[in-house]
Amino acid sequence: MASVKNATDGAPNAQGPVAVDLDIDNITEYVINGFNKNADVRMKFIFERLITHIHDFARETRLTTDEWRTGLDWLQACGQICTKDRKELITVSDIFGLSTLVDEIDHPKPPGATEGSILGPFHSLDAEEKTNGDHISSDADGEPLFVYCTVKDTQGNPISGARVHVWEADSHGEYDIEKADRTRPDGRGILRSNEQGEFYFNAITPTPYPILCDGPVGKFFEIAGRHEYRPAHIHFMFECEGFDKLITALYLRDSKYRDSDAVFGVKRSLVVDIHELDAETAAKYNLSGVNKLLRYDFVLASDSEANALRERHSAAALKALGRDASLPSHVPPTL
Amino acid sequence: MASVKNATDGAPNAQGPVAVDLDIDNITEYVINGFNKNADVRMKFIFERLITHIHDFARETRLTTDEWRTGLDWLQACGQICTKDRKELITVSDIFGLSTLVDEIDHPKPPGATEGSILGPFHSLDAEEKTNGDHISSDADGEPLFVYCTVKDTQGNPISGARVHVWEADSHGEYDIEKADRTRPDGRGILRSNEQGEFYFNAITPTPYPILCDGPVGKFFEIAGRHEYRPAHIHFMFECEGFDKLITALYLRDSKYRDSDAVFGVKRSLVVDIHELDAETAAKYNLSGVNKLLRYDFVLASDSEANALRERHSAAALKALGRDASLPSHVPPTL
């Protein structure tokens, strides 16, 4: 029988790189080169960094086949539990701190601008338009709370006509869209800031609540020995022509879990006190049956301020990687 | 109305770290510390490296909210298309080169041992036991191929009694388990090496085939401008007491896509020639109607050789990270 050599000389029928002596270290460049025909320079760059980090992760941890399989099975389970209203992968991003980080990256704030916080899974597109002073919650068990806010630019000028989405859980820590018997939006509304940049509404004092933990995320929390609660908060989202979209939330200083939010949304500057409502304010806004006040002054970054920061940060990040800073960093995704 | 400070002083109701001035850089440590109650030191280490790499990826690419959402939606779709027989997340790992890398890490090879290759999604647990010389394929359209192999240890001693799983696609590039009308295993079998470490069987010459591209992976390939084919190959898996499990494959030197395998399984040492069957071999093994021969000598790493390499590599990887090399690196996963 003929003796057969087991090595190839790299015959020229190649598409892409030639079969090599692949090993633990050179495989990363080999895989990245395998995708070098990608015409989308932004996607190619993202893919390169993704592969580099996934491979470094496996190399550094000496990931075992069993661990690899466990991780993939867990990711599969995360996808399988998803529905129109349940987005487990977004919750994964939340509990890994990625949602907060991406908001920080994509919505940079100049000095003085209000910081962002995570959107969370409970924003709803069917919220009703409200007028200043309206009630947003029908929850009779909730402690009435008057919320008075202003919204200004970084120079201190009032912003009028800003569209302000507000939403909160009820006194049992449930959002309207979590309820099977929901007939109309509740605990939410869309306000407009007035000429003085003011907006105000009647709400209830929010309470802490657990994130949805009956699926893969819950299993992870159980094993990781971490609680699944968010501190009491009210969500705010600002949309206004000429200003960068602001998604944020205010967190109650005295709330349980304030310093251990399951999804890493709390920032020091977003922690607020609930005050006793003073008689002057009650009279001015014609309030009755309300004893509590939450007050906050929001500051929006302009589009040009946010864009200037994005460009500066992108250039710095690319330079730190030794890359051409002219690489486009904000091409729309195509996948 | 009372003026309200927007900053907290870090009141002592904390569980875990105190709410901070979270920013793009310090959030990673903050998130990792949020999981510091995890009692499983291995899982804590894996989580720390995972969060570090996910965050670095987002920071380096200045990942946008749209791109983040696109990525999560894609991962969700990967999970949703999975069934008992369809494992899209494993295919994702394959096309990202992660499957090959993890096999390299978890099954290190001493000099002279046969390299590994990816398992792929077509190994089946119901393959029949075969005897040396048996046919493994009933495909009448396939070109008959006699496969003669030996299996030895790194000192050159024959290994007898090794359980050898072999499997291949048919002449149309389809595996038996892909066929809706499958009634019994075909194109696969389990052999035992004899006293001389030999095993041999009648097969068909394999052909290239595409990986399953009707789902999210296919969409990714389309956009990335990469083809979805694997070069012609036969899979082998060796199980033998005292030896590290070897999962590998042999790839035909003349096959299309040999140097651009969609899943990065080809290694130079696993590329083989198909030879004309010589009369002597045909007579010795009582072969008729066969003109082609594939021959390969496999070498298995012993358990102790593999364990010694694992320990050495783990210690080096931990040292490179500045970590205590006594950190357990192979605790079974618990998720």
Side-chain angles (χ1 to χ4, degrees), chain A residues 1-5, chain B residues 275-276 278 280-281 293 295:
Chain A
M1 186 178 302
S3 161
V4 176
K5 278 204 324 206
Chain B
H275 291 268
E276 295 300 317
D278 53 293
E280 183 195 345
T281 304
L293 169 69
R295 191 197 184 298

Side-chain angles (χ1 to χ4, degrees), chain A residues 1-2 4 6-11 13-15 17-24 27 30-31 34-35 37-38 42-43 46-47 49-51 53-70 72 74 76 79-80 82 87 89-90 93 95-102 104-106 115 148 220 223-227 253 255 258-260 264 266-269 271 275 281 293 295-296 313-314 317 321 330-331 333-335, chain B residues 1-2 4 6-11 13-15 17-24 27 30-31 34-35 37-38 42-43 45-47 49-51 53-70 72 74 76 79-80 82 87 89-90 93 95-102 104-106 115 220 223-227 253 255 258-260 264 266-269 271 275 280-281 295-296 313-314 317 321 330-331 333-335:
Chain A
M1 186 178 302
V4 176
N6 288 337
T8 177
D9 53 3
N13 70 344
Q15 288 194 11
V18 172
V20 292
D21 294 319
L22 270 190
D23 63 31
I24 288 179
I27 187 173
Y30 186 77
V31 171
F35 287 86
K37 287 185 179 159
N38 190 338
R42 171 71 181 162
M43 188 175 165
I46 287 177
F47 183 73
R49 300 318 304 158
L50 181 67
I51 295 300
H53 283 294
I54 290 174
H55 285 201
D56 282 349
F57 163 70
R59 275 188 286 257
E60 287 170 2
T61 58
R62 315 308 297 178
L63 199 67
T64 69
T65 305
D66 282 350
E67 290 165 344
W68 164 85
R69 187 62 188 252
T70 300
L72 293 181
W74 186 77
Q76 175 181 319
Q80 298 217 304
C82 288
K87 299 291 182 190
L89 271 310
I90 290 189
S93 168
I95 69 170
F96 284 5
L98 181 63
S99 305
T100 293
L101 177 59
V102 169
E104 287 274 317
I105 289 169
D106 202 29
E115 292 192 276
Y148 171 89
F220 176 80
I223 291 160
R226 189 167 155 77
H227 75 73
R253 188 184 311 281
S255 175
R258 185 201 72 196
D259 296 334
S260 62
F264 307 102
V266 181
K267 290 167 182 168
R268 197 192 298 262
S269 69
V271 174
H275 291 267
T281 304
L293 169 69
R295 192 198 183 296
Y296 201 84
H313 295 167
S314 286
L321 279 175
H330 288 90
V331 175
T334 49
L335 194 60
Chain B
M1 186 177 304
V4 177
N6 288 336
T8 176
D9 54 4
N13 70 343
Q15 288 196 8
V18 174
V20 292
D21 293 320
L22 271 190
D23 64 30
I24 289 178
I27 187 173
Y30 186 76
V31 171
F35 287 87
K37 289 187 180 158
N38 191 336
R42 172 71 181 161
M43 188 174 164
F45 176 62
I46 288 177
F47 183 73
R49 299 320 304 159
L50 182 67
I51 295 299
H53 282 294
I54 290 174
H55 285 201
D56 281 349
F57 163 70
R59 275 189 285 258
E60 286 171 2
T61 58
R62 317 307 297 177
L63 198 67
T64 69
T65 305
D66 282 351
E67 290 165 344
W68 164 83
R69 186 63 188 250
T70 300
L72 293 182
W74 186 77
Q76 175 180 321
Q80 298 218 303
C82 287
K87 299 289 181 189
L89 271 310
I90 290 188
S93 168
I95 69 170
F96 284 5
L98 181 63
S99 306
T100 293
L101 177 59
V102 169
E104 286 275 317
I105 289 169
D106 202 29
E115 293 192 277
F220 176 81
I223 290 159
R226 187 166 157 78
H227 74 74
R253 188 184 312 282
S255 175
R258 184 201 73 196
D259 296 334
S260 62
F264 306 102
V266 182
K267 291 168 182 168
R268 196 193 298 263
S269 68
V271 174
H275 291 268
E280 183 195 345
T281 304
R295 191 197 184 298
Y296 201 83
H313 295 166
S314 286
L321 279 174
H330 287 90
V331 175
T334 49
L335 193 62

Side-chain angles (χ1 to χ4, degrees), chain A residues 59-182:
Chain A
R59 275 188 286 257
E60 287 170 2
T61 58
R62 315 308 297 178
L63 199 67
T64 69
T65 305
D66 282 350
E67 290 165 344
W68 164 85
R69 187 62 188 252
T70 300
L72 293 181
D73 285 349
W74 186 77
L75 264 184
Q76 175 181 319
C78 287
Q80 298 217 304
I81 206 172
C82 288
T83 63
K84 190 180 77 58
D85 290 323
R86 171 138 188 187
K87 299 291 182 190
E88 195 84 349
L89 271 310
I90 290 189
T91 308
V92 169
S93 168
D94 293 349
I95 69 170
F96 284 5
L98 181 63
S99 305
T100 293
L101 177 59
V102 169
D103 181 71
E104 287 274 317
I105 289 169
D106 202 29
H107 296 285
K109 304 292 191 289
T114 302
E115 292 192 276
S117 189
I118 67 169
L119 177 69
F122 299 119
H123 180 251
S124 165
L125 294 175
D126 69 354
E128 292 165 350
E129 304 275 346
K130 300 279 188 181
T131 302
N132 271 341
D134 277 357
H135 288 259
I136 66 160
S137 173
S138 70
D139 183 2
D141 295 335
E143 178 186 50
L145 175 72
F146 183 61
V147 182
Y148 171 89
C149 304
T150 64
V151 54
K152 296 179 178 168
D153 67 18
T154 56
Q155 280 74 53
N157 304 307
I159 298 173
S160 69
R163 204 170 143 81
V164 188
H165 303 243
V166 299
W167 65 106
E168 64 171 345
D170 69 13
S171 57
H172 307 287
E174 264 197 330
Y175 286 87
D176 58 345
I177 59 173
E178 293 182 275
K179 295 175 205 280
D181 61 350
R182 179 186 197 252

